[in-house]
Amino acid sequence: MDAITIDALQKSYGNQPLFDALDMRIEAGEIYGLLGPNGAGKSTLMGIILGLNSFQGGSVRLFGLEVGEAKKTLSQKINALPEFFSLYGWMNALEYLRFFAELYARNPEHSALEKLLDDVGLDRRDRRPVGTYSQGMQKRLGLARALINDPELLILDEPTNGLDPKGRREIHDLLIELNRRRHTTILLSTHILDDVQRLCSRVGILHQGRLRYEDDLNRTVPFSRYRFELADPTIDPLKCNSAHLRFVRKTGRWIECDIENAAPYKAIEEMHSNGIRFNQAVALSGSLEHLYFTYTKEAAS
Amino acid sequence: MSPLLRTLMKKEMMELFYSTRGLLFFLLISVVLSAFSLMLVTNTELSLLDNAQALYMMSGIVLVLTMLIAAVYGSDAIAGERERRTLSVLLVTPLDLQSIVRAKLCFVLLLYVAIYLVGLPYFIAVGSSGQNLFEGLIYLFFLGVMLSLIFSAVGIYVSLSATSYKAAQTIMLVVVLFSASPLLLSASLRQSTLGRVADYINPFADAVNTLDAVIIDSEPFSQQLVRLGILAAITLLAVILPLYRAKKELS
């Protein structure tokens, strides 16, 4: 079943068309990465899906229900984290979550709210007003709020923007866990290509009112490029080649390899079994970037 | 009242008591009423007023403050939430814009009740030995309810359409000034046909004239029906406006 079905969507601002017969389908249970340059209409599209923005033609359905006609039912199934949002600065984190839980007619146990704070990496004992939180902490609390109704569809606009690398990793893990355990469908809009590569099963590139490219991420970007610092620089780099890994080049202690996205851990295991040890690995993820520029440039020209 | 409205109103109340703005409202009211009470005792001219006139003047002050607070709160209701980026998150929940408008209107009523209760000891102190205190208090309560609804509803309507909170607030301050303008007109001008019509369609003038008739002139309820009817009609129209606009609203 499709979580999101968009058919021939048309939206314009005055005489300026934004979407021209946009079609899009997101299956239930998948993590979909929506890419596109600034002004491509990603946030507007998310607003339309959430029923916050109007549109002139076409249809938008969530779980088979028309957006705008089943607001009450759908709002219990979906939730979102907008790119820009504010918290009620005078509340503490638990009060904030309880307020939203009550809006969803839920009365969660105190411990359930504390667990939610743990999940997003916030201190459950912190009773400071959330107005004093850093940007990263506010983002985490926003995400906890977006999970308050156990949504079947989660719409995230730049969810890791403003987070430190550790915070990003934690949010990645949380979203992957959510998707695996509860089969939560996630629509993710971001400019951070690494987020898409780590999280998404499918990717779409939105540009000039249309979906210019859409495919499974493993087909789109079968390999990701990594750079490894070898523990023993004298080792023959061709020994790296295996079923899931291709050697590209060697520069001093560093080698660059393409690792199959479908089996990154197997590739690492194969390196180990071929006697290759490394001190550190750096993801370069150039392939998706190349694809992104190709489709946004082609469309522009 | 639905649980959603209750939750939203609870949030509004907490916000008011946690914010300096809310506390300032109440402080302003008690300072103004205390200052006026003091003037009634110490000022030579004001001390000559009888109790009914003093009560009438104090009621007018409370109505002006109510009108001002309702207008300011109303203009902030949607434009402020939008500007503070809290509105979109609320609209993702089962709340729709119309429910938010309803909750804001209900909250303004609660706010007025609080203002009325703050003023009550002052009214009793000033008017206890004069005529029509009880009637005056009853009328003041209901007139305040209507004025707070009218000005907050118009404020919310403006707030729904305005590009910014500042723009909404400026428009509402002009509306308040315009509504209070009969106070600045001379008696002869107010007695002219134009003045009378303006008095009838101006809710603030209707409220003040009703209080004048009831507290000072001791007129019966039957003679207030026209003004009260007009006021009730304006209230109804004003409340329908933002609710209708909210139902239609999609960016």
Side-chain angles (χ1 to χ4, degrees):
Chain A
M1 187 193 188
D2 285 341
I4 302 176
T5 316
I6 298 174
D7 287 317
L9 179 70
Q10 292 191 321
K11 162 90 182 167
S12 56
Y13 289 108
N15 293 328
Q16 194 72 36
L18 183 62
F19 301 130
D20 178 21
L22 177 73
D23 294 319
M24 194 175 175
R25 271 168 180 69
I26 298 178
E27 279 179 33
E30 73 174 330
I31 305 183
Y32 188 98
L34 185 63
L35 296 174
N38 291 331
K42 302 186 298 294
S43 298
T44 306
L45 182 63
M46 292 184 155
I48 288 174
I49 293 169
L50 290 166
L52 303 178
N53 292 342
S54 65
F55 53 95
Q56 282 83 34
S59 75
V60 180
R61 277 169 287 150
L62 304 182
F63 303 102
L65 298 168
E66 204 71 44
V67 167
E69 289 176 13
K71 157 94 178 161
K72 284 252 153 37
T73 316
L74 284 176
S75 59
Q76 293 289 350
K77 285 174 178 252
I78 63 176
N79 213 325
L81 179 67
E83 183 182 4
F84 301 110
F85 68 97
S86 293
L87 308 167
Y88 296 111
W90 48 272
M91 292 181 181
N92 67 39
L94 282 171
E95 286 169 343
Y96 184 73
L97 291 181
R98 185 162 294 285
F99 167 64
F100 278 95
E102 285 175 9
L103 289 180
Y104 285 98
R106 288 165 188 239
N107 189 18
E109 297 279 323
H110 194 69
S111 57
L113 296 178
E114 287 182 334
K115 166 84 172 48
L116 207 49
L117 290 176
D118 291 343
D119 286 347
V120 295
L122 288 172
D123 183 0
R124 59 164 67 193
R125 292 159 304 177
D126 193 347
R127 295 289 186 273
R128 279 182 302 152
V130 296
T132 62
Y133 279 15
S134 68
Q135 193 194 352
M137 290 169 82
Q138 295 197 5
K139 203 80 165 180
R140 287 166 191 254
L141 185 58
L143 189 60
R145 195 259 319 135
L147 300 176
I148 199 85
N149 59 330
D150 297 321
E152 290 174 40
L153 169 63
L154 193 54
I155 295 174
L156 307 173
D157 200 355
E158 304 281 359
T160 57
N161 208 359
L163 293 182
D164 56 26
K166 181 173 170 280
R168 270 183 63 208
R169 174 61 64 84
E170 285 169 2
I171 298 302
H172 286 171
D173 292 345
L174 173 68
L175 294 177
I176 290 169
E177 180 67 10
L178 264 176
N179 176 256
R180 212 176 48 197
R181 203 156 35 90
R182 297 189 206 160
H183 300 287
T184 308
T185 311
I186 299 172
L187 170 58
L188 171 76
S189 163
T190 180
H191 289 296
I192 305 171
L193 300 181
D194 185 49
D195 281 0
V196 176
Q197 226 154 348
R198 278 172 196 258
L199 293 170
C200 300
S201 46
R202 223 148 53 94
V203 64
I205 299 176
L206 186 68
H207 189 46
Q208 293 183 337
R210 289 195 172 191
L211 219 45
R212 299 285 166 183
Y213 180 89
E214 189 181 45
D215 207 344
D216 286 354
L217 199 60
N218 285 336
R219 276 214 300 273
T220 303
V221 192
F223 290 91
S224 289
R225 188 157 294 179
Y226 287 83
R227 185 189 286 169
F228 298 96
E229 189 194 15
L230 295 170
D232 176 9
T234 61
I235 205 156
D236 177 12
L238 290 173
K239 279 175 80 178
C240 294
N241 282 331
S242 67
H244 303 100
L245 189 144
R246 286 195 310 236
F247 166 70
V248 178
R249 73 170 71 93
K250 182 167 185 280
T251 321
R253 298 182 69 90
W254 292 86
I255 56 166
E256 281 182 27
C257 300
D258 284 340
I259 289 183
E260 199 179 352
N261 280 332
Y265 297 111
K266 268 198 180 141
I268 303 291
E269 273 171 24
E270 283 167 0
M271 282 177 89
H272 277 251
S273 61
N274 287 336
I276 303 209
R277 297 278 185 275
F278 52 87
N279 297 330
Q280 57 172 321
V282 182
L284 300 176
S285 62
S287 308
L288 187 57
E289 189 176 82
H290 176 71
L291 192 82
Y292 174 84
F293 280 119
T294 303
Y295 279 92
T296 52
K297 202 167 75 181
E298 258 180 24
S301 62
Chain B
M1 184 185 290
S2 81
L4 280 185
L5 281 189
R6 212 168 39 230
T7 304
L8 207 52
M9 279 179 63
K10 194 169 87 185
K11 188 271 288 181
E12 295 288 328
M13 265 166 78
M14 297 296 285
E15 199 160 29
L16 187 73
F17 287 113
Y18 274 100
S19 73
T20 41
R21 186 184 62 169
L23 295 173
L24 276 176
F25 278 163
F26 292 113
L27 191 66
L28 174 77
I29 292 157
S30 46
V31 165
V32 169
L33 293 181
S34 300
F36 183 70
S37 307
L38 191 69
M39 280 165 69
L40 282 176
V41 181
T42 54
N43 184 282
T44 320
E45 278 186 39
L46 285 176
S47 63
L48 294 176
L49 292 176
D50 65 30
N51 290 51
Q53 280 173 317
L55 178 65
Y56 163 69
M57 285 185 78
M58 196 170 256
S59 305
I61 290 170
V62 166
L63 287 184
V64 169
L65 288 172
T66 300
M67 184 167 71
L68 199 64
I69 288 170
V72 169
Y73 180 82
S75 57
D76 174 75
I78 305 296
E81 292 264 11
R82 200 186 280 139
E83 222 158 274
R84 289 190 292 273
R85 291 176 169 156
T86 46
L87 187 66
S88 58
V89 172
L90 281 180
L91 290 174
V92 171
T93 70
L95 278 173
D96 54 24
L97 201 51
Q98 212 181 31
S99 316
I100 295 175
V101 169
R102 269 201 300 269
K104 301 266 182 189
L105 284 172
C106 290
F107 178 69
V108 173
L109 277 185
L110 265 186
L111 199 58
Y112 170 67
V113 172
I115 293 170
Y116 182 82
L117 290 176
V118 169
L120 206 54
Y122 293 95
F123 300 133
I124 294 171
V126 167
S128 58
S129 54
Q131 62 191 21
N132 303 322
L133 172 67
F134 181 71
E135 290 86 346
L137 288 179
I138 299 277
Y139 272 89
L140 176 64
F141 180 78
F142 287 106
L143 291 170
V145 163
M146 287 194 272
L147 278 192
S148 57
L149 274 177
I150 290 168
F151 283 91
S152 59
V154 173
I156 292 172
Y157 181 79
V158 171
S159 182
L160 278 163
S161 327
T163 49
S164 69
Y165 165 58
K166 265 189 182 169
Q169 203 173 45
T170 308
I171 293 169
M172 281 317 291
L173 285 177
V174 172
V175 171
V176 168
L177 274 176
F178 188 73
S179 302
S181 60
L183 295 177
L184 308 173
L185 298 180
S186 66
S188 56
L189 202 58
R190 289 182 69 186
Q191 290 305 314
S192 68
T193 314
L194 191 69
R196 280 170 187 273
V197 172
D199 259 9
Y200 269 114
I201 59 167
N202 178 342
F204 178 69
D206 277 329
V208 170
N209 289 340
T210 305
L211 281 177
D212 185 1
V214 170
I215 298 174
I216 295 177
D217 303 336
S218 303
E219 285 180 11
F221 177 71
S222 57
Q223 287 187 29
Q224 315 311 320
L225 282 176
V226 176
R227 269 195 301 261
L228 290 177
I230 292 170
L231 210 46
I234 295 173
T235 309
L236 193 67
L237 192 70
V239 169
I240 288 170
L241 266 178
L243 288 173
Y244 179 75
R245 179 79 167 78
K247 200 174 180 182
K248 291 257 164 198
E249 174 90 4
L250 266 184
S251 66

